[in-house]
Amino acid sequence: MITIAIDGPAASGKGTLARRIATHFDFAYLDTGKLYRAVGMAVLRNGGDPADEEAAEDAARALDPVALEDEALARDDAARAASQVAAHPAVRSALMDLQRGVAASPPEGKAGAVLDGRDIGTVICPDATVKLFVTADVEVRADRRHKELLDRGNASIYARVLEDLRERDARDRDRETAPMRPADDAHVLDTSDMTADAAFDAALDLIEAAVREALEKSGDEAE
């Protein structure tokens, strides 16, 4: 089974890249960040605090996959809550099996899966076929997120978006459990000066040979 792990900070372009790669290879795709956003939103809607590990764990264990289709998960409050609940070891443990299940047995009989998040290559799928760590300067990421929010019709102030991203980066990077970092064997892709198309082309250059080799190997084993 082929697994492509794509990690990196918020607004680095990893989600757009992961979806395009999944489509290109006809692989399953899982945005693991949505899992944490759904957990965070569940806690908020229950009147709880995402910083409360017990409340967050309860929400994670009760998570219904249907919740991943909630449009509210695109909001900034969902992103902030996600970063908070993701710091809890109990939440990460509760969601680990679901993520590994998609990688091991992609839905619809797909030949592989693309998972993007913060700890896919380091914790969830350490044996992934290909690992990418997609990053960009925080100012560039803040500008992207600011424009994205405005395009959606949401109010946004660049300075606040920048501050929020810096805080989220610090939480993700400094948490004790599964901190955000490139896996030792990950390819680091800096998209600061790249368009989405350029990032996609660069990623394909990095992963196509490995995926082709894995597909050929699986075909030989099947014979």
Side-chain angles (χ1 to χ4, degrees):
M1 193 59 62
I2 295 172
T3 304
I4 299 176
I6 301 182
D7 294 307
S12 60
K14 69 180 185 299
T16 299
L17 180 61
R19 285 188 292 272
R20 289 187 67 175
I21 289 172
T23 298
H24 178 81
F25 290 106
D26 192 25
F27 288 170
Y29 168 62
L30 177 62
D31 175 357
T32 66
K34 271 193 171 183
L35 298 174
Y36 294 97
R37 284 172 178 251
V39 170
M41 284 302 294
V43 173
L44 292 175
R45 286 170 172 165
N46 288 333
D49 181 355
D52 181 342
E53 184 166 9
E54 183 176 353
E57 180 184 8
D58 288 345
R61 297 198 179 280
L63 182 65
D64 184 338
V66 174
L68 301 182
E69 304 303 319
D70 187 350
E71 293 183 357
L73 300 187
R75 297 188 332 218
D76 265 8
D77 56 344
R80 286 191 293 270
S83 185
Q84 289 177 285
V85 301
H88 301 312
V91 172
R92 306 198 74 85
S93 177
L95 297 177
M96 185 177 293
D97 287 345
L98 188 158
Q99 296 172 75
R100 286 180 171 171
V102 171
S105 300
E108 301 179 13
K110 300 289 187 179
V114 180
L115 286 75
D116 81 65
R118 301 288 195 279
D119 64 346
I120 309 304
T122 54
V123 177
I124 303 301
C125 300
D127 296 323
T129 313
V130 188
K131 301 175 187 177
L132 298 180
F133 189 88
V134 184
T135 188
D137 294 338
V138 67
E139 291 83 3
V140 173
R141 292 188 283 121
D143 186 59
R144 290 173 180 169
R145 180 54 54 84
H146 172 60
K147 290 177 179 177
E148 179 184 3
L149 290 170
L150 293 178
D151 287 344
R152 290 177 181 168
N154 298 320
S156 178
I157 298 175
Y158 171 80
R160 292 181 181 174
V161 174
L162 178 61
E163 180 181 6
D164 180 56
L165 284 182
R166 283 175 170 157
E167 291 176 353
R168 289 171 60 189
D169 285 353
R171 280 197 300 270
D172 291 341
R173 183 182 59 246
D174 299 337
R175 65 187 178 220
E176 293 185 7
T177 301
M180 179 183 66
R181 64 175 180 81
D184 292 340
D185 55 348
H187 301 283
V188 177
L189 182 62
D190 190 327
T191 68
S192 298
D193 299 317
M194 290 185 181
T195 63
D197 287 341
F200 177 67
D201 290 341
L204 283 186
D205 287 342
L206 292 171
I207 67 179
E208 274 192 322
V211 169
R212 189 181 305 113
E213 180 180 347
L215 284 172
E216 291 173 352
K217 182 179 179 180
S218 63
D220 291 341
E221 291 175 349
E223 294 175 0

